[in-house]
Amino acid sequence: MAQVRVTVDGVNYADDVEPRTLLVHYLRERLGKTGTLVGCDTSNCGACTVHLNGQSVKSCSVLAVQADGAEVTTIEGIACDGKLHPVQEAFNEKHALQCGYCTPGMIMQAIDLLGDNPDPDEQEVREGIEGNLCRCTGYQNIVRAVQSAAQKMKPGSPAQTDTPVSVAGGGN
Amino acid sequence: MTTTADPTTLEFGKARTRKEDARLITGRTKFTDAINLHGMLHLHVVRSPLAHATITGVDKTAAEASPGVIGVYTAADLGVEGVGLPCAWPITPDMKSPQRPLLAHTTVHFAGEGVAVVLARSAAEARDAADLVEVDYEPLEPVLNMEDALKEGATLVHPDLGTNENATWVFDSGAAGTGSSIDEAISAAEADADSIVLKRRFIQQRLIPAFMEPRACVVDPTGEQITVWAATQVPHILRTMTTVTLGVPESKLRVIAPDVGGGFGGKIGVLPEEMLCVALAQKTGKPIKWNETRSESLLAAHHGRDQIQDITITAKRDGTVTGLDVHLLADMGAYLGLVGPGVPILGAFMFNSIYKFPALKFTCTNVFTTKTLTDAYRGAGRPEATFAIERIMDELAVELGIEPMELRKKNWITHEEFPFTTVVGLTYDSGNYEQATAQAMEAFDYAGLRREQEERRASGDKVQLGIGISTFTEMCGLAPSRVLGSLSYGAGGWEAASIRMLATGKVEVITGASAHGQGHETAFSQIVADQLGVPFEDVEVLHGDTQISPKGLDTYGSRSLVVGGIAIVKAAEKVVAKAKKIAAHLLEASEDDIEFSGGTFTVKGTDKGKAIQEIAFAAFMAHDYPEDMEPNLDADAVYDPENFSYPHGTHLAAVEIDTETGRVNLRKYVCVDDIGTVVNPLIVEGQVHGGLAQGIAQALFEEANYDDQGTLVNGTFVDYTLPSAADLPSFDTSTVSTPATSNPLGVKGVGEAGTIASTPAIVNSVIDALRHLGVTNVEMPCTSQRVWRAIQEAKGNTTQETPIDTHSPGAGLGSIDPNNPQGEVQ
Amino acid sequence: MIPSKFDYVKPASVAEAVQALADGGDDAKILAGGQSLIPVLRLRLAAPSVIIDLGGIAELRGIREDGDHIAIGAMTSYHDIVRDDLVKQHVALLGQATETVADNQVRHRGTLGGSLAHADPAGDLGAPALALDAQMVIAGASGTRTVGAAEFFVDYFTTAIGDGEILTEIRFPKYTGWGSHYEKFNRTAQAWSMCAVAAAIKVDGGTISEARVGLTNMGTTPIRATGVEQALVGQPATADAVRAAAERATEGTAAPSDADAAADYREHLAKVLTGRAVLAAAG
């Protein structure tokens, strides 16, 4: 057993884990953060994407012990005081999800992308989410949603002031 | 209690954002793997690495001693050697059906088949112990090639059947009286200098549905009913089939499909793992969870397509088609899936597509191989048919020197000719191929792209442009029960719905359809809001739990709206009829004088009226209601369609091919679909986008291959290459509408259209780009390598044969040498 | 999806890591970014008894200018390399190749040292390291030694890093003012390279004065296309001249055959992509 101390969605946890425990399994099974999903076993699908110290990672490819001392944000931690993150809103408005299984990872990666590139063109969005597979949408509405969220998150837009800073900061 | 919807703003046709999104975008979901129960045990399946082998011994000793292990079980240990999984579609009376066991007990028939299971206190402990189960095998010859499998003396997958042929199913329009004889059509064409007989072979490669949520189930035996949560499209069918398979009384089973992460046909099965969980839950008295990995899913979940198509078309030199002869070989894999043998048969009626063939014959032989079984995958039989007819129409156009769209126009059913009974006896109720095509060609700039193509050809540009057409139709809304009966299908095709008017005027709608991404909660709310004149927000759609929705036939075959939606309309009509009686009573008017509009019952010619919510409350109070009725507005309906529905559309693709590397770049995709009346354009657009992506993926990216030992070589997402966002363009999609006349909403279904239509459009465009170089065919998927080889061969250059084995040093993750796993890895 | 059991140590210095490696013996495995190792563990293609996580060693991260070299700590992430101004200015080819590796999430975790030590011939960073004559600094019980990229790559998944040794730093000579390009060809955007070409070119007055070309996935190791380099020097930076030189791209290669690309197709691609990479590098 190894000890992991980690802050997940703003809450501090300390747990003993087997070193082999993947971060995604720790989140789901120990912390009950079942919003983060597992879609493959080769790091291709991105369904398990979370933010680790502000950067998107595939939580199936990080050991829980590697997250010791880190801050983790999951899909369950990006809405603020009941208000959805602009990317969440945009996914609903643009019908960017169907079965919803890729959605948590897709949203977390989209937030990271917008942190790096606040105004991406279509190709930049497509490349920015290339590590997240979706089988339902053909990606078109996901691309629309990310671009729409980018507009909402621009400085001066009404939504922007309500955006949690740590999340809007995304990949930085 | 007087709130009603504004009658001027009908929900029907409105681009409502989805109700179901709220939980999905916030992670408040309940996918099956999120269900955890006290004392739950975890199941892991020990799978055969060999395709075909005799099991000579199973040593469980080490595994049983592994920490946390409750037990290790073979079929014999569980006493389930005699249990077979169901196939519900015996396509012919003499169809050969091997028993499909829960676990292989004497012989394994495909790589990935379960041989034993480990039950342990944690998933990790079950996984650890599975490595310690030692199974001894005596290898047998794998059976991999359908044509070889049918030859005299071939190794038999199931020796007791005496053959590898599952069944041969024939439809002959001459014999059926729905058209003339194909033999005569071919003889006539051969004898006629003004006619042509053209033969082509097309290969439908094997695909994997690859829903994003791997399959899972949890079984809780601790209540009066055994509760099964399953990642399934078909909770109702699963309940009935669990009874059929294991003998548990249906009334003692509750099946719940919680949030389900996609299906595409891939989750219509009744799984050995589900049955094993039920059996072990009964045996141990503990809740059992099974959760597959992606690799297991690719290996063992049913696959789709996999046909060899030999097509003969006859035509006059002016382009008029005179006959179509279809010979299929369809790979069933090692066993029959729930509807597997019928999947190619669903295509039988679609080969004639939108064209006026006078003669058609369809012959399909299903073949057993030692591969993973095949069953429904998005479109199920109809994409294969559409591919073959749209490809051969292009081939015919080339042979005859006729522009491919002109050839189609010459042969299609014109809009004045509906309703039109086709050569296979189906009656197409409505459609307008001219309108969809005209609109698509304009949006596509068909003429402009043809000009550009000419210029690129003339200048010998290294990047060549190809244009591909697919004018498709499909039969969906599965299905009229009587038709299914005539095809020996083991169930009806109806759907059930119930509507409950709650005391406070809110509405609960119960549907037997089982959504897993389709947006039923939203679309059905829109329908009910209009039917009952209540606000969209006041409607709650309940589904996916046999205790809540006891009756249903679930979701597949683009049926949920076309069948399930109509059942809801029928239930709503009954609610309104009941409410009308009470309204007349309360308003002291004759029922004949009551009008219902926008949620309000009014007395004709007066301003006296009552909202439906008031009537619901009055029925709940039951202080004052007509003597000849019960005090309730609730209603049930079961709707059995009279006909299929026939969406159609014109899909146009433009690809650029880098002739130096063979890379295909999809530059433009335009489609105009007629799916009848549209309930929610946002959802429709999403369905089309996703369908297109899957059809395009068949054309360009995906294939499930086996090596000569019968090992699946595309066993992870590294090797089974789903397209990402960076591999696809944006599509230009739109709709036109000729409402279906076969149902009161005029709807036709949209779930499969994009997938059915797009594959031939892409392949036609690839070949169109290369045709002037001498290329006549490129097998799917049209990878850069295949395209490059086709160009080389057309030039007369011989090229190397491509090995099927992907495990070479430089293929990424899949390349990790299993014999040298300790290689330097950081 | 669940790795076999292992012990875990997280040393705070290179010396501690080397000691841990000695203690761990043959079954010890170094964890850098983990983007190849953890998937391999999940699939149980490896089952080390102990994992030594280099993530706690601050000195292994970072990019610095060191005289006429750019020195990159082995644990520096792809993400940081892609964004680094020193890399952009002096070793642009490395940044360009790194940007094509996998996807954003993987680039946040994956490291240069991890990739080079893993030595998958389909990996994208070996070819630029080889073409640019990178120097690998390797620490062991008896101190550090430096190995040139040409000697570093031994076979597939095999490098000059010995038992008990750790790759700590990668040093690149400066290629300030050179043009460069990484031309990658794969089946889908997130797939590994079927074939890729790393090219750095110095053009003086329209003539190629120096050329460095490396090939990805054309043998069991990254391969230096010396024939192409020789053919390019002194030639005008024109399409015809470059394509003629690119015909030599397959010299010394041993292209693998797999379902994505049999050897003849890979060889063809190597020539075409070399031409494209060099032309793009030459601007």
Side-chain angles (χ1 to χ4, degrees), chain C residues 169-186:
Chain C
E169 189 173 79
I170 302 94
R171 298 168 61 81
F172 287 87
K174 290 180 180 172
Y175 292 84
T176 323
W178 288 48
S180 64
H181 185 76
Y182 189 67
E183 183 77 16
K184 177 166 175 168
F185 198 85
N186 48 14

Side-chain angles (χ1 to χ4, degrees), chain B residues 52 95-98 109 141-168 329-336 365-370:
Chain B
H52 198 193
M95 179 176 95
K96 299 278 193 295
S97 299
H109 293 102
E141 193 74 27
V143 180
L144 301 169
N145 177 294
M146 284 195 278
E147 289 178 299
D148 291 347
L150 293 175
K151 286 178 185 158
E152 195 75 38
T155 299
L156 296 179
V157 180
H158 301 285
D160 52 318
L161 301 181
T163 174
N164 287 322
E165 181 181 327
N166 154 248
T168 293
L329 293 180
D331 193 339
M332 295 292 102
Y335 301 108
L336 299 176
T365 297
N366 290 343
V367 185
F368 291 115
T369 60
T370 54

Side-chain angles (χ1 to χ4, degrees), chain B residues 121 205 268 323 404 549 604 749:
Chain B
R121 291 176 58 195
Q205 83 271 34
I268 64 159
S549 149
K604 230 180 261 180

Side-chain angles (χ1 to χ4, degrees), chain A residues 18 20 28 34-35 37-42 44-45 75-76 78 84 88-89 91-95 97-104 107 122-123 126-127 129-130 132-141 143-144, chain B residues 17-18 21 24-27 31 33-34 124 128 208-210 212-214 260-262 264 293-295 377 516-517 682-683 685-687 689-690 693-694 702 716-718 722-726 728-731 813:
Chain A
E18 280 192 303
R20 64 167 163 171
R28 288 178 58 82
T34 51
L37 303 167
V38 179
C40 76
D41 46 11
T42 48
N44 289 84
C45 81
I75 186 70
E76 296 171 61
I78 55 171
L84 294 177
Q88 289 173 305
E89 280 180 358
F91 266 59
N92 172 240
E93 288 163 4
K94 300 299 177 189
H95 187 31
L97 61 147
Q98 290 178 31
C99 83
Y101 202 80
C102 76
T103 307
I107 288 176
E122 176 178 342
Q123 197 52 35
R126 287 182 177 277
E127 287 169 9
I129 59 171
E130 71 186 357
N132 294 69
L133 296 174
C134 170
R135 193 59 157 167
C136 294
T137 65
Y139 303 104
Q140 188 156 332
N141 286 345
V143 174
R144 279 183 191 161
Chain B
T17 59
R18 297 197 321 169
D21 289 358
L24 297 169
I25 58 176
T26 52
F31 291 99
D33 187 31
D128 290 343
I208 305 180
M212 289 313 298
E213 179 207 16
V260 176
F264 317 110
T293 64
R294 175 59 58 185
S295 303
Y377 171 51
H516 42 283
L682 202 59
I683 290 176
E685 190 186 35
Q687 287 290 317
H689 288 165
Q694 286 183 24
E702 295 175 18
T716 72
F717 271 168
V718 175
L722 302 188
S724 75
L728 294 169
S730 283
F731 314 115
L813 240 196

Side-chain angles (χ1 to χ4, degrees), chain A residues 68-169:
Chain A
D68 186 38
E71 193 165 323
V72 176
T73 307
T74 79
I75 186 70
E76 296 171 61
I78 55 171
C80 193
D81 296 330
K83 178 159 172 47
L84 294 177
H85 187 279
V87 174
Q88 289 173 305
E89 280 180 358
F91 266 59
N92 172 240
E93 288 163 4
K94 300 299 177 189
H95 187 31
L97 61 147
Q98 290 178 31
C99 83
Y101 202 80
C102 76
T103 307
M106 200 65 91
I107 288 176
M108 296 310 286
Q109 179 51 30
I111 292 171
D112 183 275
L113 165 67
L114 294 175
D116 272 356
N117 181 354
D119 194 13
D121 63 24
E122 176 178 342
Q123 197 52 35
E124 288 169 335
V125 174
R126 287 182 177 277
E127 287 169 9
I129 59 171
E130 71 186 357
N132 294 69
L133 296 174
C134 170
R135 193 59 157 167
C136 294
T137 65
Y139 303 104
Q140 188 156 332
N141 286 345
I142 294 175
V143 174
R144 279 183 191 161
V146 176
Q147 290 193 290
S148 164
Q151 296 313 307
K152 290 185 186 205
M153 290 165 70
K154 271 189 177 166
S157 97
Q160 201 274 336
T161 48
D162 296 330
T163 303
V165 175
S166 65
V167 170

